[in-house]
Amino acid sequence: MKKKICIIILSIVIVCSLLSGCGDKHTAIIMKNAKDFTLTQEISESFKLENYGIQSYAFLKYIQENLPGRIAGTEKEKEMASFISAILLNGGYSEKDIKLNSFDIEEGVPMMDTSGENIFDGGEDSQSSQNIEVIKEGQSKKTIIVGAHYDSAGTHGVDDNGSGVAVALESALRMIDVETPYTIKYVFFGAEETGMHGSKEYVNSLTKKEKDNIVLMINIDSIIILY
């Protein structure tokens, strides 16, 4: 009887390890790619400039030219996750400051109509996505959350929501050495266009204490004007 119980327990442990291992594998690859990422000259130069908006523009231009079709769960979405992590690393945050939390998603259709022109498939679908969180510690545990989703609906996704990501990234870099009364958590959500999976996953991951400490949440989405 004891032998059977041990076998059952061992089987459960193995299955759980296998299930969690896929997510760990994806996040490990994303972080490795982030550490190996080579900044463009324009992005590198933007780090040296004090004018507001220069960094955001450089980030957004890179997204436009290199990261179209960031459909939830696809290769392009994961490339975007590596890009975000790379900017944070190069901007002064350490690897331990950045949390990559992977979660499973079912294959879904982006919320917006993808019947127009300039539609991209995003590459191979892993049916998993990830949230990226970076914490800027404040004088208290009271927390302001600044969020932006980084997947797109099969288009270039510059307005929705490369614009929000770019501004959130610049804000995170500018606030890194600023003394603040509250802690600021910058959260980049994956898999939003297919049903707000990233934000739901993030909320469900919070403890009651963490929820009680939240002062407000600022969501940055679709903030540029297209002519």
Side-chain angles (χ1 to χ4, degrees), residues 5 15 23 30 37 60 62 68 77 89 92 98 100 139 157 195:
I5 293 174
V15 170
I30 287 170
F37 186 86
L60 193 57
Y62 183 89
E77 190 199 36
L89 289 171
I98 304 168
L100 287 167
Q139 295 171 337

Side-chain angles (χ1 to χ4, degrees), residues 26-163:
H26 288 307
T27 54
I29 292 172
I30 287 170
M31 184 53 68
K32 180 183 182 304
N33 290 339
K35 289 188 286 188
D36 293 340
F37 186 86
T38 301
L39 298 180
T40 64
Q41 183 176 352
E42 184 172 10
I43 291 176
S44 295
E45 289 298 321
S46 75
F47 282 179
K48 305 172 187 176
L49 303 176
E50 295 183 0
N51 301 47
Y52 289 99
I54 300 297
Q55 290 179 358
S56 296
Y57 180 81
F59 302 155
L60 193 57
K61 184 177 178 182
Y62 183 89
I63 292 168
Q64 160 73 13
E65 294 176 352
N66 298 278
L67 295 165
R70 305 179 301 277
I71 298 172
T74 63
E75 293 173 274
K76 278 298 178 183
E77 190 199 36
K78 286 176 171 50
E79 285 181 29
M80 181 68 159
S82 290
F83 171 73
I84 292 169
S85 300
I87 296 300
L88 294 171
L89 289 171
N90 282 276
Y93 289 95
S94 68
E95 188 175 347
K96 68 178 182 179
D97 295 325
I98 304 168
K99 295 181 180 178
L100 287 167
N101 297 309
S102 180
F103 53 91
D104 294 332
I105 56 173
E106 294 182 5
E107 185 177 1
V109 178
M111 289 181 179
M112 68 175 283
D113 182 15
T114 59
S115 61
E117 296 180 358
N118 298 319
I119 301 299
F120 307 89
D121 64 13
E124 186 178 347
D125 184 3
S126 67
Q127 294 193 317
S128 73
S129 186
Q130 52 286 311
N131 291 329
I132 306 163
E133 179 186 66
V134 62
I135 301 174
K136 191 273 166 195
E137 296 288 352
Q139 295 171 337
S140 75
K141 293 298 180 183
K142 292 296 183 182
T143 304
I144 294 174
I145 296 176
V146 179
H149 79 87
Y150 63 90
D151 63 314
S152 71
T155 63
H156 277 95
V158 175
D159 176 36
D160 186 12
N161 187 33
S163 61

